[in-house]
Amino acid sequence: MKASSHSPLRSRLGGHILVDQLIAQGVKHVFCVPGESYLAVLDGLHDASIQVTVCRQEGGAAMMADAHGKLTGEPGICMVTRGPGASNALAGVHIAMQDSTPMILFVGQIERGMREREAFQEMDYRAVFGTQAKWVTEIDQVERIPEIISRAFHVATSGRPGPVVIALPEDMLVEYAEVADAPHYEVIDSAPTVPQMEALVQQLANAKKPVAILGGTRWDQTAVDQFAEFADRYQLPVAVQFRRQMLCSVDHPCFIGDVGLGSNPEMMQYIKEADLVLLVGGRMSEIASQSYTLFDIPVPAQTLVHVYPDAGELNRVYRASLAINVSPASFAQAVAALRPQQAAPWAADLERIRASYLAWTDPQKITHPGSLQMGQVMSYLRTSLPDDAIMCNGAGNYATWLHRFHQFKRFGTQLAPTSGSMGYGLPAAVGAKRIDPSKTVVCFAGDGCFMMHGQEFATAVQYQLPIIVILIDNGMYGTIRMHQERHYPARLSATSLQNPDFAAYAEAFGGHGERVETTEQFASAFERAVASQKPSILHCLIDPETISPSTTLEKIRQQALAAQA
């Protein structure tokens, strides 16, 4: 309702009401690209306690918000303008959906009276984002802002977390209303029942070859520690799903590796032969399930205990022997009280798979073509980075070096999209450093991946965020080239790249840049990057043949040609 001489109202614009709701919900950071469609909100942020990060592209802003959600468990907040701005942000929303990350995207919208005329940058946000978000809505009445914002926070964080998209009609934001602020949201959770825990104890007692696989969200450091203690008492082998390596320390004597791309074959064989699988927090989607081949569908051959915070996921793909509808944190708290009744008959298996994991992840054993040896780079980073360093990456074969050889030891140290979205690493690093400037933040990126959101390096410079980008340059879209050689050997098509001087790129933005061509150059270059206290890019040139730690393009090509002969 508009202010007028006939209806005196307290001077609080819709845009200001919205900002007040964010403050009431505990929001401390907003990532945005400004737009005229939500100027009233920007005006409300002018005097607010919320830290605003102005980004260079909406996709980068949404990915920073996703990184915030991953690190804090609280919804990351992103604001973008209508039409093209919202379209750019869709990549970040897709990541948040597949990664189960709490996030709220606010999108400026055309005036309400212009709908369905294809007005300037008009979009139907319910239709566009409907399959990519938990909830999509539009605020038509200024008086309903507190109600809808409160609901958005509950939807984004409860059950399986995910993104919410809220459209903000421009004229609604400049109306006045007198409304009360909504109270702070509370995440909905429950606890396992006594019969469920008794059944779990019995299944563990009957098992001869069990394994736990951890994934998903709604974990925190306490939950990770509690589950680690439970695993230690039961001598339970623990694996983690794709890009969820921070859920169990590599130092834990029960940790056996990650279930994803390029996983240790011996570990994968053990999981296939397991008689009990305790799946906690994860969906066991395509990558982790090895394209849905690891377990039979719908009924796995193994006894499956599936712990998940959303009843809609339980028994959707895999029929569980025991389905427990709680968050990983609630489950970890419950199993903290369990004590085994007998010695683990699988202790020898655990010792063998653990030894296999340690050998598989030893970078010193890896050599490949070229003067810059990535195994030595990873070995240096193992000894040089603090345990709480946050490692960020997008998608590409280069990420295999990080996933296989880096030692994740603490919760909150990995930012990577399970959706395999390129360009994620740099904005995630910017978002992480913005949230906690005290942390060491490293971005791994391929040459193709970096250029997807390379402009966000300017954001790092603007806010004086000394992230370190390790940019692996092989002059190609490496993952696609690998598959191309496997399926269409010696028929190179649309995968080559001509790259800039990325060290000069960094310096042009006001950061620190160095070119690294040999193994011997890396350590000193990294140390200078740290000492510079500037956002830095180490432009690392590797031999194009080095497509993964275990093979080369030439080997793949020759194998494919031989198979065709």
Side-chain angles (χ1 to χ4, degrees):
M1 161 172 167
K2 292 186 178 179
S4 71
S5 58
H6 302 291
S7 55
L9 295 172
R10 182 161 61 94
S11 293
R12 197 155 68 137
L13 285 171
H16 289 209
I17 294 172
L18 189 147
V19 172
D20 289 343
Q21 302 320 299
L22 297 183
I23 294 171
Q25 301 305 323
V27 171
K28 297 180 177 62
H29 301 269
V30 164
F31 302 93
C32 76
V33 175
E36 70 273 19
S37 58
Y38 68 101
L39 284 174
V41 178
L42 296 176
D43 186 71
L45 289 168
H46 182 273
D47 301 315
S49 58
I50 297 173
Q51 185 182 66
V52 178
T53 302
V54 181
C55 308
R56 299 307 177 100
Q57 206 256 19
E58 292 85 358
M63 292 174 193
M64 291 180 201
D66 173 88
H68 178 284
K70 282 182 170 66
L71 291 175
T72 67
E74 301 171 355
I77 306 299
C78 180
M79 294 181 178
V80 302
T81 196
R82 61 199 179 206
S87 300
N88 286 338
L90 181 57
V93 174
H94 177 71
I95 292 168
M97 188 66 184
Q98 291 222 327
D99 285 21
S100 304
T101 307
M103 186 179 95
I104 301 176
L105 174 69
F106 292 97
V107 184
Q109 172 64 304
I110 62 169
E111 293 183 12
R112 290 165 290 183
M114 296 184 181
R115 287 174 180 156
E116 299 187 17
R117 294 175 175 170
E118 198 177 345
F120 181 63
Q121 298 180 338
E122 180 178 1
M123 289 177 70
D124 179 345
Y125 294 104
R126 290 185 176 92
V128 172
F129 288 92
T131 62
Q132 298 303 312
K134 286 189 71 177
W135 182 41
V136 185
T137 191
E138 191 163 321
I139 304 180
D140 278 346
Q141 297 171 265
V142 66
E143 294 86 358
R144 296 190 65 186
I145 291 176
E147 169 202 344
I148 291 175
I149 299 303
S150 174
R151 178 178 171 185
F153 275 82
H154 284 92
V155 171
T157 56
S158 297
R160 173 188 172 184
V164 170
V165 179
I166 302 177
L168 306 171
E170 186 175 1
D171 55 326
M172 181 276 297
L173 291 174
V174 295
E175 291 183 352
Y176 290 81
E178 187 171 359
V179 292
D181 295 338
H184 195 284
Y185 72 97
E186 294 185 12
V187 179
I188 308 302
D189 205 356
S190 59
T193 65
V194 172
Q196 286 173 334
M197 297 307 293
E198 290 175 345
L200 174 62
V201 169
Q202 189 60 52
Q203 286 166 338
L204 285 167
N206 294 338
K208 298 291 186 266
K209 209 168 194 178
V211 65
I213 303 176
L214 312 182
T217 53
R218 295 191 65 177
W219 293 86
D220 55 28
Q221 187 63 62
T222 299
V224 167
D225 292 343
Q226 288 174 330
F227 194 91
E229 292 168 4
F230 159 73
D232 191 46
R233 287 195 299 272
Y234 275 83
Q235 288 295 283
L236 180 64
V238 178
V240 291
Q241 287 191 205
F242 181 56
R243 296 181 168 175
R244 290 293 186 262
Q245 289 166 266
M246 65 181 186
L247 297 181
C248 186
S249 171
V250 297
D251 289 338
H252 195 290
C254 296
F255 183 63
I256 61 172
D258 65 302
V259 183
L261 297 172
S263 298
N264 179 4
E266 192 168 350
M267 178 198 67
M268 297 306 298
Q269 187 61 35
Y270 175 84
I271 293 174
K272 288 180 180 179
E273 296 172 355
D275 60 355
L276 172 64
V277 175
L278 175 57
L279 176 58
V280 184
R283 295 184 297 117
M284 214 63 191
S285 54
E286 180 184 352
I287 301 300
S289 69
Q290 313 298 293
S291 297
Y292 300 102
T293 63
L294 192 57
F295 304 135
D296 292 343
I297 296 173
V299 182
Q302 304 88 341
T303 297
L304 174 64
V305 178
H306 193 181
V307 180
Y308 201 76
D310 194 325
E313 182 64 32
L314 293 168
N315 295 323
R316 185 171 72 93
V317 179
Y318 305 101
R319 179 64 186 266
S321 304
L322 176 61
I324 305 177
N325 181 204
V326 299
S327 72
S330 178
F331 181 75
Q333 184 177 19
V335 297
L338 299 184
R339 297 293 184 274
Q341 303 301 310
Q342 59 192 26
W346 53 81
D349 280 334
L350 171 59
E351 185 177 353
R352 173 176 57 84
I353 300 302
R354 172 69 178 169
S356 175
Y357 163 75
L358 294 174
W360 176 257
T361 57
D362 182 358
Q364 297 284 356
K365 299 179 179 180
I366 303 298
T367 59
H368 55 76
S371 300
L372 178 59
Q373 292 292 308
M374 286 301 299
Q376 297 303 310
V377 168
M378 297 311 302
S379 182
Y380 168 80
L381 292 174
R382 276 189 174 192
T383 59
S384 302
L385 291 173
D387 288 348
D388 64 351
I390 300 174
M391 310 301 285
C392 313
N393 65 271
N397 268 37
Y398 72 87
T400 304
W401 296 100
L402 181 62
H403 295 339
R404 179 169 167 180
F405 299 110
H406 183 68
Q407 295 184 311
F408 291 95
K409 298 181 180 181
R410 295 189 187 178
F411 181 78
T413 56
Q414 184 178 33
L415 290 173
T418 64
S419 64
S421 182
M422 293 181 69
Y424 180 85
L426 179 60
V430 174
K433 193 71 171 176
R434 188 74 161 138
I435 295 166
D436 190 350
S438 69
K439 293 288 180 65
T440 298
V441 179
V442 177
C443 166
F444 259 68
D447 45 342
C449 188
F450 177 84
M451 290 298 285
M452 294 282 181
H453 283 293
Q455 69 271 27
E456 298 304 343
F457 192 80
T459 308
V461 172
Q462 178 172 342
Y463 294 101
Q464 300 177 19
L465 306 173
I467 62 172
I468 300 173
V469 180
I470 299 175
L471 198 159
I472 313 301
D473 180 358
N474 62 359
M476 68 178 80
Y477 286 118
T479 301
I480 311 308
R481 175 69 180 278
M482 176 184 70
H483 292 303
Q484 192 171 66
E485 292 287 9
R486 185 169 289 142
H487 298 287
Y488 304 97
R491 292 178 60 81
L492 175 62
S493 176
T495 51
S496 296
L497 298 173
Q498 181 173 326
N499 289 317
D501 180 339
F502 287 110
Y505 179 101
E507 292 175 354
F509 279 99
H512 174 84
E514 294 201 35
R515 185 180 178 92
V516 179
E517 299 184 46
T518 68
T519 306
E520 294 72 23
Q521 292 172 343
F522 183 83
S524 58
F526 189 89
E527 289 162 10
R528 285 190 294 271
V530 173
S532 75
Q533 286 298 297
K534 294 180 178 180
S536 302
I537 296 176
L538 300 184
H539 184 184
C540 301
L541 288 93
I542 65 170
D543 192 304
E545 279 295 312
T546 305
I547 201 63
S548 81
S550 55
T551 192
T552 64
L553 284 177
E554 181 61 26
K555 288 180 181 178
I556 293 172
R557 184 184 306 119
Q558 292 305 322
Q559 290 169 354
L561 289 170
Q564 291 180 2

